[in-house]
Amino acid sequence: SNTAWSLARLAVVDEPLMYAISSAALSRMLELSVQDLTNIPWAFASMQVRDEPLMNALSAGARSNIAAFGQPTSAAMALWTLWRSSHSDLAAELFDIWSSMDVFQEAEPFGLLLMDNDWWKDAGWELDILDRLHRVLPVRSVYLSMSKLGHFATMPSQACHPSLRKVANLVDAVVAAVSAGSGGDAAAAVLAECEHFAQFKGQWLKVAGREKGDLLQRAWSARPLAASEWALEFGAFVGYTAVRLGRKLQNGRDGWSGCGIVSLEVSPVHVCIARHLIDIAELSDVNEVKAGQAKDVLPRVCEEAGVRCCAFGFMDHRGTIFHQDFSLVEGHSVFAVEPHFVTDNTLNPGAPVFLWQRVAGADSGGWITTPFALTEFLSFHEDWTALTAQRGRPRSGRGAV
């Protein structure tokens, strides 16, 4: 179990060794703990090594011992493993049971099912998932997501989970500021209130503002979206950067050209919050927020926008996996010609593997990465924001022969 888990965490794919681990596990099923029966299949799913007997063993174990597998950590891991291994029906069935038992106290399992439903487009199931989420983690933005679909939860819209009080105060402040008058530019009012809130009311709120915002906008201006191109944001948080980029796109476009901005966010609560702020900023025509991890959502983005669609990207989710998600974008052929990609917080908390790969291998594929030493938003310590650009054949209309 520990060996399989370690290989998956290190992204070391050794199929003979993995199948040997599977064979040993299947021969000793009665000796394995619930943790073993979730860790080993999870490792296979993470490395995309298919082993149906192992997955069938996990399925049988979960079905026969709902209570034992229905612990917060093991249940969430089992759901993702089953979904990733094409057992989405069983994942939905177990989610239905475990969420009814109040097993889940974190948001991510709900996000997994919302992401899966993004393929199915089942409005009734989406409402059901959001209602269950709201019962566990109530906050007004989730309530409004349900009301937009024509459903009103039993909990009042003012109900708020203690862990979400800070972000709920931010949303309330933004709503009040925009309602008081935005001067015709709701998006600018949203950005200004987020920055004001961070400075005077909630120093926990760190966004890509001031120096980092200036760099982001310059990078955008140097590589604006062409027709049918998209921008990808990894980590929506409260929607600040999505609003900033959406405002740039909306103000700069000449008529609709099929462009848009897609933000990926693992927490469904923050998906609802980001969508709420985007609605307030009047940018729903150019912005979209999707639930799920990048490794799971990117195939959906390719289906909707097509390959070679990403001309601009921004990462601000988890520095330790920047290099993995960047490789996923490359592997799925999502990058358009000569894209610009901005990565924040590469010094603090840090993205050492990403910077090493990009700077040490700067000539690979024409990528050039430049880290900029900037001051952290509303702070005095130094941080690095890196700009990665690819130089290839000229784009149409910009020097093409």
Side-chain angles (χ1 to χ4, degrees):
S1 170
N2 289 338
T3 301
W5 180 87
S6 300
L7 289 171
R9 292 293 295 172
L10 293 171
V12 176
V13 181
D14 187 326
E15 291 195 18
L17 177 56
M18 292 300 295
Y19 286 128
I21 292 173
S22 172
S23 178
L26 290 172
S27 66
R28 302 169 60 185
M29 286 294 294
L30 296 178
E31 302 174 31
L32 299 181
S33 65
V34 169
Q35 182 177 353
D36 294 331
L37 279 173
T38 50
N39 276 359
I40 297 173
W42 175 87
F44 274 77
S46 295
M47 292 187 283
Q48 298 184 31
V49 177
R50 196 166 187 83
D51 190 317
E52 280 304 308
L54 184 63
M55 291 304 160
N56 290 336
L58 171 62
S59 302
R63 286 181 186 275
S64 63
N65 205 339
I66 293 289
F69 278 82
Q71 303 302 313
T73 302
S74 58
M77 185 178 289
L79 283 186
W80 182 84
T81 300
L82 290 167
W83 179 87
R84 186 74 172 183
S85 304
S86 302
H87 294 267
S88 57
D89 288 345
L90 177 56
E93 177 187 333
L94 292 174
F95 170 81
D96 187 21
I97 296 170
W98 284 332
S99 59
S100 299
M101 295 166 56
D102 294 327
V103 167
F104 304 119
Q105 298 302 311
E106 301 295 330
E108 283 69 22
F110 300 91
L112 174 69
L113 272 295
L114 285 174
M115 177 192 64
D116 181 59
N117 191 62
D118 198 25
W119 269 278
W120 296 102
K121 303 296 185 186
D122 186 334
W125 181 225
E126 180 178 357
L127 279 173
D128 195 353
I129 298 167
L130 288 172
D131 189 49
R132 295 173 194 232
L133 173 63
H134 190 254
R135 290 201 301 266
V136 175
L137 294 166
V139 67
R140 182 159 63 135
S141 296
V142 177
Y143 180 94
L144 290 177
S145 292
M146 289 188 287
S147 65
K148 286 172 63 178
L149 293 171
H151 175 75
F152 294 92
T154 53
M155 278 190 178
S157 62
Q158 295 80 11
C160 184
H161 192 274
S163 67
L164 299 172
R165 174 54 58 192
K166 293 191 296 185
V167 73
N169 289 339
L170 167 66
V171 174
D172 290 343
V174 170
V175 170
V178 175
S179 298
S182 59
D185 192 341
V190 169
L191 296 175
E193 183 54 34
C194 285
E195 294 176 6
H196 180 270
F197 184 93
Q199 184 172 4
F200 297 105
K201 301 176 184 178
Q203 295 184 355
W204 56 270
L205 179 61
K206 298 297 182 183
V207 295
R210 297 195 175 180
E211 290 183 5
K212 293 185 175 184
D214 291 342
L215 174 62
L216 192 64
Q217 294 197 171
R218 286 176 179 272
W220 175 280
S221 298
R223 180 52 172 99
L225 303 187
S228 300
E229 290 183 338
W230 290 69
L232 274 179
E233 180 190 18
F234 295 74
F237 192 32
V238 298
Y240 173 90
T241 301
V243 170
R244 178 184 282 274
L245 295 179
R247 180 171 178 262
K248 287 285 291 183
L249 177 59
Q250 193 177 66
N251 291 343
R253 73 184 188 187
D254 182 17
W256 176 250
S257 58
C259 302
I261 297 161
V262 177
S263 301
L264 313 181
E265 172 57 51
V266 69
S267 168
V269 172
H270 283 276
V271 168
C272 294
I273 291 169
R275 288 174 177 173
H276 191 179
L277 263 64
I278 287 167
D279 286 345
I280 296 169
E282 302 175 3
L283 292 172
S284 297
D285 59 328
V286 295
N287 282 88
E288 184 175 358
V289 186
K290 291 184 176 294
Q293 302 178 74
K295 61 185 177 183
D296 300 327
V297 185
L298 277 175
R300 180 64 181 158
V301 174
C302 291
E303 283 188 18
E304 294 184 346
V307 296
R308 308 296 180 194
C309 64
C310 176
F312 189 89
F314 178 65
M315 281 187 179
D316 188 19
H317 55 317
R318 185 151 54 112
T320 54
I321 61 170
F322 280 3
H323 61 292
Q324 297 175 5
D325 286 348
F326 189 91
S327 296
L328 283 171
V329 178
E330 284 191 297
H332 283 89
S333 301
V334 179
F335 280 125
V337 178
E338 297 183 359
H340 279 190
F341 210 84
V342 179
T343 45
D344 196 13
N345 299 318
T346 55
L347 176 64
N348 182 29
V353 179
F354 173 82
L355 283 183
W356 175 258
Q357 289 182 349
R358 299 268 57 88
V359 174
D363 293 333
S364 176
W367 291 104
I368 300 173
T369 297
T370 307
F372 291 86
L374 304 173
T375 303
E376 179 59 71
F377 179 70
L378 296 180
S379 183
F380 298 102
H381 70 263
E382 179 182 322
D383 192 14
W384 294 353
T385 298
L387 171 61
T388 299
Q390 188 178 46
R391 294 290 177 258
R393 60 182 177 82
R395 292 189 295 124
S396 176
R398 296 186 64 185
V401 176

